[in-house]
PDB file of all heavy atoms in Angstrom:
ATOM      1  N   SER A 357       7.141   9.237  19.697  1.00 97.00           N
ATOM      2  CA  SER A 357       7.181  10.270  20.720  1.00 97.00           C
ATOM      3  C   SER A 357       6.251  11.414  20.284  1.00 97.00           C
ATOM      4  O   SER A 357       6.101  11.651  19.149  1.00 97.00           O
ATOM      5  CB  SER A 357       8.631  10.766  20.906  1.00 97.00           C
ATOM      6  OG  SER A 357       9.027  11.288  19.502  1.00 97.00           O
ATOM      7  N   LEU A 358       5.596  12.013  21.291  1.00 98.00           N
ATOM      8  CA  LEU A 358       4.568  13.021  21.001  1.00 98.00           C
ATOM      9  C   LEU A 358       3.759  12.679  19.891  1.00 98.00           C
ATOM     10  O   LEU A 358       3.833  13.326  18.777  1.00 98.00           O
ATOM     11  CB  LEU A 358       5.303  14.356  20.679  1.00 98.00           C
ATOM     12  CG  LEU A 358       6.187  14.890  21.938  1.00 98.00           C
ATOM     13  CD1 LEU A 358       6.963  16.156  21.431  1.00 98.00           C
ATOM     14  CD2 LEU A 358       5.371  15.182  23.205  1.00 98.00           C
ATOM     15  N   PRO A 359       2.980  11.512  20.044  1.00 98.00           N
ATOM     16  CA  PRO A 359       2.354  10.953  18.807  1.00 98.00           C
ATOM     17  C   PRO A 359       1.400  11.794  18.158  1.00 98.00           C
ATOM     18  O   PRO A 359       0.982  11.564  16.958  1.00 98.00           O
ATOM     19  CB  PRO A 359       1.730   9.717  19.559  1.00 98.00           C
ATOM     20  CG  PRO A 359       1.588   9.877  20.919  1.00 98.00           C
ATOM     21  CD  PRO A 359       2.798  10.850  21.328  1.00 98.00           C
ATOM     22  N   LEU A 360       0.747  12.834  18.759  1.00 98.00           N
ATOM     23  CA  LEU A 360      -0.308  13.551  18.192  1.00 98.00           C
ATOM     24  C   LEU A 360       0.297  14.751  17.401  1.00 98.00           C
ATOM     25  O   LEU A 360      -0.394  15.530  16.689  1.00 98.00           O
ATOM     26  CB  LEU A 360      -1.295  14.124  19.234  1.00 98.00           C
ATOM     27  CG  LEU A 360      -2.025  13.042  20.100  1.00 98.00           C
ATOM     28  CD1 LEU A 360      -2.944  13.669  21.046  1.00 98.00           C
ATOM     29  CD2 LEU A 360      -2.698  12.073  19.225  1.00 98.00           C
ATOM     30  N   GLU A 361       1.610  15.009  17.575  1.00 98.00           N
ATOM     31  CA  GLU A 361       2.253  16.109  16.896  1.00 98.00           C
ATOM     32  C   GLU A 361       2.680  15.744  15.514  1.00 98.00           C
ATOM     33  O   GLU A 361       3.365  14.688  15.182  1.00 98.00           O
ATOM     34  CB  GLU A 361       3.345  16.716  17.606  1.00 98.00           C
ATOM     35  CG  GLU A 361       2.888  17.400  18.932  1.00 98.00           C
ATOM     36  CD  GLU A 361       4.048  18.153  19.565  1.00 98.00           C
ATOM     37  OE1 GLU A 361       5.091  18.358  18.863  1.00 98.00           O
ATOM     38  OE2 GLU A 361       3.813  18.607  20.693  1.00 98.00           O
ATOM     39  N   TYR A 362       2.403  16.560  14.495  1.00 98.00           N
ATOM     40  CA  TYR A 362       3.021  16.496  13.155  1.00 98.00           C
ATOM     41  C   TYR A 362       4.424  16.992  13.144  1.00 98.00           C
ATOM     42  O   TYR A 362       4.765  18.089  13.523  1.00 98.00           O
ATOM     43  CB  TYR A 362       2.104  17.315  12.153  1.00 98.00           C
ATOM     44  CG  TYR A 362       2.720  17.630  10.852  1.00 98.00           C
ATOM     45  CD1 TYR A 362       2.478  16.600   9.715  1.00 98.00           C
ATOM     46  CD2 TYR A 362       3.520  18.672  10.652  1.00 98.00           C
ATOM     47  CE1 TYR A 362       3.105  16.996   8.594  1.00 98.00           C
ATOM     48  CE2 TYR A 362       4.146  18.869   9.416  1.00 98.00           C
ATOM     49  CZ  TYR A 362       3.833  17.984   8.317  1.00 98.00           C
ATOM     50  OH  TYR A 362       4.360  18.231   7.109  1.00 98.00           O
ATOM     51  N   ASP A 363       5.263  15.974  12.690  1.00 98.00           N
ATOM     52  CA  ASP A 363       6.662  16.408  12.637  1.00 98.00           C
ATOM     53  C   ASP A 363       7.331  15.609  11.499  1.00 98.00           C
ATOM     54  O   ASP A 363       7.775  14.411  11.760  1.00 98.00           O
ATOM     55  CB  ASP A 363       7.395  16.096  14.071  1.00 98.00           C
ATOM     56  CG  ASP A 363       8.905  16.436  14.012  1.00 98.00           C
ATOM     57  OD1 ASP A 363       9.407  16.901  12.966  1.00 98.00           O
ATOM     58  OD2 ASP A 363       9.571  16.060  14.953  1.00 98.00           O
ATOM     59  N   PRO A 364       7.582  16.193  10.400  1.00 97.00           N
ATOM     60  CA  PRO A 364       8.169  15.520   9.241  1.00 97.00           C
ATOM     61  C   PRO A 364       9.600  15.241   9.441  1.00 97.00           C
ATOM     62  O   PRO A 364      10.244  14.498   8.643  1.00 97.00           O
ATOM     63  CB  PRO A 364       7.871  16.433   8.051  1.00 97.00           C
ATOM     64  CG  PRO A 364       7.829  17.796   8.684  1.00 97.00           C
ATOM     65  CD  PRO A 364       7.184  17.576   9.948  1.00 97.00           C
ATOM     66  N   THR A 365      10.119  15.739  10.569  1.00 97.00           N
ATOM     67  CA  THR A 365      11.701  15.521  10.827  1.00 97.00           C
ATOM     68  C   THR A 365      11.809  14.391  11.928  1.00 97.00           C
ATOM     69  O   THR A 365      12.893  14.188  12.343  1.00 97.00           O
ATOM     70  CB  THR A 365      12.322  16.732  11.190  1.00 97.00           C
ATOM     71  OG1 THR A 365      11.864  17.278  12.341  1.00 97.00           O
ATOM     72  CG2 THR A 365      12.257  17.723  10.186  1.00 97.00           C
ATOM     73  N   ARG A 366      10.752  13.785  12.409  1.00 95.00           N
ATOM     74  CA  ARG A 366      10.794  12.918  13.518  1.00 95.00           C
ATOM     75  C   ARG A 366      11.811  11.835  13.113  1.00 95.00           C
ATOM     76  O   ARG A 366      11.708  11.248  12.099  1.00 95.00           O
ATOM     77  CB  ARG A 366       9.395  12.397  13.969  1.00 95.00           C
ATOM     78  CG  ARG A 366       8.677  11.435  13.006  1.00 95.00           C
ATOM     79  CD  ARG A 366       7.476  10.834  13.718  1.00 95.00           C
ATOM     80  NE  ARG A 366       6.561  11.848  14.315  1.00 95.00           N
ATOM     81  CZ  ARG A 366       6.311  11.699  15.588  1.00 95.00           C
ATOM     82  NH1 ARG A 366       6.919  11.015  16.393  1.00 95.00           N
ATOM     83  NH2 ARG A 366       5.392  12.614  15.998  1.00 95.00           N
ATOM     84  N   THR A 367      12.551  11.282  14.082  1.00 92.00           N
ATOM     85  CA  THR A 367      13.577  10.273  13.920  1.00 92.00           C
ATOM     86  C   THR A 367      12.857   8.952  14.217  1.00 92.00           C
ATOM     87  O   THR A 367      13.537   7.893  13.990  1.00 92.00           O
ATOM     88  CB  THR A 367      14.722  10.585  14.868  1.00 92.00           C
ATOM     89  OG1 THR A 367      14.247  10.728  16.243  1.00 92.00           O
ATOM     90  CG2 THR A 367      15.480  11.769  14.624  1.00 92.00           C
ATOM     91  N   ASP A 368      11.732   8.927  14.904  1.00 92.00           N
ATOM     92  CA  ASP A 368      11.145   7.667  15.099  1.00 92.00           C
ATOM     93  C   ASP A 368       9.939   7.415  14.091  1.00 92.00           C
ATOM     94  O   ASP A 368       8.839   7.029  14.405  1.00 92.00           O
ATOM     95  CB  ASP A 368      10.516   7.576  16.589  1.00 92.00           C
ATOM     96  CG  ASP A 368       9.642   8.667  16.873  1.00 92.00           C
ATOM     97  OD1 ASP A 368       9.374   9.593  16.122  1.00 92.00           O
ATOM     98  OD2 ASP A 368       9.148   8.629  17.938  1.00 92.00           O
ATOM     99  N   ALA A 369      10.193   7.793  12.785  1.00 91.00           N
ATOM    100  CA  ALA A 369       9.186   7.430  11.686  1.00 91.00           C
ATOM    101  C   ALA A 369       9.271   5.996  11.438  1.00 91.00           C
ATOM    102  O   ALA A 369      10.281   5.586  10.916  1.00 91.00           O
ATOM    103  CB  ALA A 369       9.510   8.389  10.591  1.00 91.00           C
ATOM    104  N   HIS A 370       8.308   5.208  11.595  1.00 91.00           N
ATOM    105  CA  HIS A 370       8.343   3.821  11.298  1.00 91.00           C
ATOM    106  C   HIS A 370       7.459   3.520  10.030  1.00 91.00           C
ATOM    107  O   HIS A 370       6.744   4.254   9.558  1.00 91.00           O
ATOM    108  CB  HIS A 370       7.787   2.982  12.530  1.00 91.00           C
ATOM    109  CG  HIS A 370       8.581   3.210  13.695  1.00 91.00           C
ATOM    110  ND1 HIS A 370       9.655   2.447  14.017  1.00 91.00           N
ATOM    111  CD2 HIS A 370       8.411   4.069  14.734  1.00 91.00           C
ATOM    112  CE1 HIS A 370      10.167   2.704  15.221  1.00 91.00           C
ATOM    113  NE2 HIS A 370       9.460   3.796  15.606  1.00 91.00           N
ATOM    114  N   ASN A 371       7.587   2.277   9.563  1.00 92.00           N
ATOM    115  CA  ASN A 371       6.749   1.823   8.479  1.00 92.00           C
ATOM    116  C   ASN A 371       5.334   2.101   8.707  1.00 92.00           C
ATOM    117  O   ASN A 371       4.843   1.720   9.780  1.00 92.00           O
ATOM    118  CB  ASN A 371       7.031   0.356   8.156  1.00 92.00           C
ATOM    119  CG  ASN A 371       7.179   0.181   6.730  1.00 92.00           C
ATOM    120  OD1 ASN A 371       6.801   0.881   5.932  1.00 92.00           O
ATOM    121  ND2 ASN A 371       7.777  -1.006   6.475  1.00 92.00           N
ATOM    122  N   LEU A 372       4.514   2.765   7.926  1.00 94.00           N
ATOM    123  CA  LEU A 372       3.238   2.871   8.108  1.00 94.00           C
ATOM    124  C   LEU A 372       2.393   1.658   7.859  1.00 94.00           C
ATOM    125  O   LEU A 372       2.868   0.801   7.084  1.00 94.00           O
ATOM    126  CB  LEU A 372       2.674   4.086   7.201  1.00 94.00           C
ATOM    127  CG  LEU A 372       3.310   5.595   7.503  1.00 94.00           C
ATOM    128  CD1 LEU A 372       2.854   6.615   6.498  1.00 94.00           C
ATOM    129  CD2 LEU A 372       3.025   5.888   8.870  1.00 94.00           C
ATOM    130  N   LEU A 373       1.140   1.617   8.419  1.00 96.00           N
ATOM    131  CA  LEU A 373       0.529   0.385   8.271  1.00 96.00           C
ATOM    132  C   LEU A 373      -0.716   0.526   7.408  1.00 96.00           C
ATOM    133  O   LEU A 373      -1.483  -0.465   7.200  1.00 96.00           O
ATOM    134  CB  LEU A 373      -0.124   0.115   9.725  1.00 96.00           C
ATOM    135  CG  LEU A 373       0.908  -0.105  10.864  1.00 96.00           C
ATOM    136  CD1 LEU A 373       0.217  -0.167  12.257  1.00 96.00           C
ATOM    137  CD2 LEU A 373       1.826  -1.243  10.633  1.00 96.00           C
ATOM    138  N   ASP A 374      -0.922   1.679   6.755  1.00 94.00           N
ATOM    139  CA  ASP A 374      -2.024   1.735   5.830  1.00 94.00           C
ATOM    140  C   ASP A 374      -1.965   0.940   4.654  1.00 94.00           C
ATOM    141  O   ASP A 374      -3.101   0.479   4.237  1.00 94.00           O
ATOM    142  CB  ASP A 374      -1.885   3.281   5.110  1.00 94.00           C
ATOM    143  CG  ASP A 374      -2.023   4.384   6.129  1.00 94.00           C
ATOM    144  OD1 ASP A 374      -1.050   4.655   6.951  1.00 94.00           O
ATOM    145  OD2 ASP A 374      -3.025   5.002   6.251  1.00 94.00           O
ATOM    146  N   PHE A 375      -0.902   0.431   4.271  1.00 95.00           N
ATOM    147  CA  PHE A 375      -0.776  -0.450   3.082  1.00 95.00           C
ATOM    148  C   PHE A 375      -0.760  -1.949   3.567  1.00 95.00           C
ATOM    149  O   PHE A 375      -0.504  -2.926   2.750  1.00 95.00           O
ATOM    150  CB  PHE A 375       0.340  -0.190   2.266  1.00 95.00           C
ATOM    151  CG  PHE A 375       0.363   1.239   1.681  1.00 95.00           C
ATOM    152  CD1 PHE A 375       0.911   2.232   2.222  1.00 95.00           C
ATOM    153  CD2 PHE A 375      -0.326   1.335   0.377  1.00 95.00           C
ATOM    154  CE1 PHE A 375       0.996   3.485   1.735  1.00 95.00           C
ATOM    155  CE2 PHE A 375      -0.376   2.564  -0.197  1.00 95.00           C
ATOM    156  CZ  PHE A 375       0.183   3.696   0.380  1.00 95.00           C
ATOM    157  N   GLY A 376      -1.150  -2.175   4.822  1.00 94.00           N
ATOM    158  CA  GLY A 376      -1.159  -3.550   5.416  1.00 94.00           C
ATOM    159  C   GLY A 376       0.300  -3.995   5.528  1.00 94.00           C
ATOM    160  O   GLY A 376       1.203  -3.205   5.792  1.00 94.00           O
ATOM    161  N   GLY A 377       0.443  -5.346   5.728  1.00 92.00           N
ATOM    162  CA  GLY A 377       1.795  -5.836   6.097  1.00 92.00           C
ATOM    163  C   GLY A 377       1.907  -7.229   5.626  1.00 92.00           C
ATOM    164  O   GLY A 377       0.920  -7.930   5.407  1.00 92.00           O
ATOM    165  N   GLY A 378       3.171  -7.797   5.663  1.00 91.00           N
ATOM    166  CA  GLY A 378       3.373  -9.149   5.240  1.00 91.00           C
ATOM    167  C   GLY A 378       3.010  -9.541   4.006  1.00 91.00           C
ATOM    168  O   GLY A 378       3.078  -8.752   3.002  1.00 91.00           O
ATOM    169  N   VAL A 379       2.462 -10.691   3.801  1.00 90.00           N
ATOM    170  CA  VAL A 379       2.121 -11.253   2.437  1.00 90.00           C
ATOM    171  C   VAL A 379       0.815 -10.455   1.903  1.00 90.00           C
ATOM    172  O   VAL A 379       0.482 -10.691   0.729  1.00 90.00           O
ATOM    173  CB  VAL A 379       1.876 -12.800   2.419  1.00 90.00           C
ATOM    174  CG1 VAL A 379       3.085 -13.540   2.993  1.00 90.00           C
ATOM    175  CG2 VAL A 379       0.631 -13.114   3.235  1.00 90.00           C
ATOM    176  N   TYR A 380       0.235  -9.748   2.674  1.00 91.00           N
ATOM    177  CA  TYR A 380      -0.937  -8.998   2.159  1.00 91.00           C
ATOM    178  C   TYR A 380      -0.675  -7.504   1.972  1.00 91.00           C
ATOM    179  O   TYR A 380      -1.614  -6.721   1.675  1.00 91.00           O
ATOM    180  CB  TYR A 380      -2.200  -9.106   3.267  1.00 91.00           C
ATOM    181  CG  TYR A 380      -2.585 -10.511   3.549  1.00 91.00           C
ATOM    182  CD1 TYR A 380      -2.298 -11.121   4.598  1.00 91.00           C
ATOM    183  CD2 TYR A 380      -3.321 -11.229   2.576  1.00 91.00           C
ATOM    184  CE1 TYR A 380      -2.719 -12.516   4.886  1.00 91.00           C
ATOM    185  CE2 TYR A 380      -3.749 -12.547   2.719  1.00 91.00           C
ATOM    186  CZ  TYR A 380      -3.411 -13.123   3.861  1.00 91.00           C
ATOM    187  OH  TYR A 380      -3.761 -14.452   4.056  1.00 91.00           O
ATOM    188  N   THR A 381       0.575  -7.091   1.987  1.00 93.00           N
ATOM    189  CA  THR A 381       0.941  -5.820   1.743  1.00 93.00           C
ATOM    190  C   THR A 381       0.394  -5.306   0.306  1.00 93.00           C
ATOM    191  O   THR A 381       0.620  -6.055  -0.598  1.00 93.00           O
ATOM    192  CB  THR A 381       2.465  -5.532   1.756  1.00 93.00           C
ATOM    193  OG1 THR A 381       2.941  -5.979   3.100  1.00 93.00           O
ATOM    194  CG2 THR A 381       2.841  -4.062   1.551  1.00 93.00           C
ATOM    195  N   CYS A 382      -0.256  -4.081   0.362  1.00 93.00           N
ATOM    196  CA  CYS A 382      -0.671  -3.582  -0.910  1.00 93.00           C
ATOM    197  C   CYS A 382       0.577  -3.290  -1.925  1.00 93.00           C
ATOM    198  O   CYS A 382       1.507  -2.554  -1.608  1.00 93.00           O
ATOM    199  CB  CYS A 382      -1.389  -2.200  -0.793  1.00 93.00           C
ATOM    200  SG  CYS A 382      -1.767  -1.276  -2.259  1.00 93.00           S
ATOM    201  N   LEU A 383       0.448  -4.020  -3.011  1.00 94.00           N
ATOM    202  CA  LEU A 383       1.628  -3.896  -4.011  1.00 94.00           C
ATOM    203  C   LEU A 383       1.529  -2.572  -4.758  1.00 94.00           C
ATOM    204  O   LEU A 383       2.482  -2.210  -5.401  1.00 94.00           O
ATOM    205  CB  LEU A 383       1.627  -5.033  -4.988  1.00 94.00           C
ATOM    206  CG  LEU A 383       2.134  -6.341  -4.336  1.00 94.00           C
ATOM    207  CD1 LEU A 383       1.703  -7.528  -5.330  1.00 94.00           C
ATOM    208  CD2 LEU A 383       3.495  -6.462  -4.075  1.00 94.00           C
ATOM    209  N   GLY A 384       0.449  -1.837  -4.660  1.00 94.00           N
ATOM    210  CA  GLY A 384       0.301  -0.554  -5.302  1.00 94.00           C
ATOM    211  C   GLY A 384       1.019   0.584  -4.381  1.00 94.00           C
ATOM    212  O   GLY A 384       0.999   1.691  -4.909  1.00 94.00           O
ATOM    213  N   LYS A 385       1.489   0.148  -3.307  1.00 95.00           N
ATOM    214  CA  LYS A 385       2.113   1.136  -2.387  1.00 95.00           C
ATOM    215  C   LYS A 385       3.104   2.110  -3.133  1.00 95.00           C
ATOM    216  O   LYS A 385       3.162   3.221  -2.875  1.00 95.00           O
ATOM    217  CB  LYS A 385       2.779   0.428  -1.161  1.00 95.00           C
ATOM    218  CG  LYS A 385       3.589   1.375  -0.292  1.00 95.00           C
ATOM    219  CD  LYS A 385       4.167   0.635   0.856  1.00 95.00           C
ATOM    220  CE  LYS A 385       5.021   1.576   1.714  1.00 95.00           C
ATOM    221  NZ  LYS A 385       5.525   0.869   2.968  1.00 95.00           N
ATOM    222  N   HIS A 386       3.995   1.447  -3.916  1.00 95.00           N
ATOM    223  CA  HIS A 386       5.175   2.165  -4.405  1.00 95.00           C
ATOM    224  C   HIS A 386       4.703   3.171  -5.369  1.00 95.00           C
ATOM    225  O   HIS A 386       5.098   4.345  -5.446  1.00 95.00           O
ATOM    226  CB  HIS A 386       6.110   1.032  -5.120  1.00 95.00           C
ATOM    227  CG  HIS A 386       6.330  -0.029  -4.271  1.00 95.00           C
ATOM    228  ND1 HIS A 386       6.999   0.020  -3.071  1.00 95.00           N
ATOM    229  CD2 HIS A 386       5.953  -1.366  -4.456  1.00 95.00           C
ATOM    230  CE1 HIS A 386       7.000  -1.161  -2.562  1.00 95.00           C
ATOM    231  NE2 HIS A 386       6.336  -2.050  -3.324  1.00 95.00           N
ATOM    232  N   VAL A 387       3.758   2.791  -6.267  1.00 97.00           N
ATOM    233  CA  VAL A 387       3.352   3.760  -7.319  1.00 97.00           C
ATOM    234  C   VAL A 387       2.440   4.828  -6.702  1.00 97.00           C
ATOM    235  O   VAL A 387       2.553   5.930  -7.011  1.00 97.00           O
ATOM    236  CB  VAL A 387       2.704   3.113  -8.566  1.00 97.00           C
ATOM    237  CG1 VAL A 387       1.421   2.482  -8.087  1.00 97.00           C
ATOM    238  CG2 VAL A 387       2.463   4.161  -9.698  1.00 97.00           C
ATOM    239  N   ALA A 388       1.677   4.492  -5.642  1.00 97.00           N
ATOM    240  CA  ALA A 388       0.770   5.359  -5.018  1.00 97.00           C
ATOM    241  C   ALA A 388       1.648   6.443  -4.368  1.00 97.00           C
ATOM    242  O   ALA A 388       1.219   7.690  -4.485  1.00 97.00           O
ATOM    243  CB  ALA A 388      -0.161   4.626  -3.930  1.00 97.00           C
TER     244      ALA A 388
END
Side-chain angles (χ1 to χ4, degrees):
Chain A
S357 60
L358 300 173
L360 300 182
E361 290 196 7
Y362 165 89
D363 178 7
T365 66
R366 67 169 57 245
T367 54
D368 56 357
H370 299 269
N371 222 340
L372 296 177
L373 303 172
D374 298 73
F375 295 94
V379 303
Y380 299 108
T381 302
C382 171
L383 287 168
K385 171 180 179 175
H386 317 295
V387 67

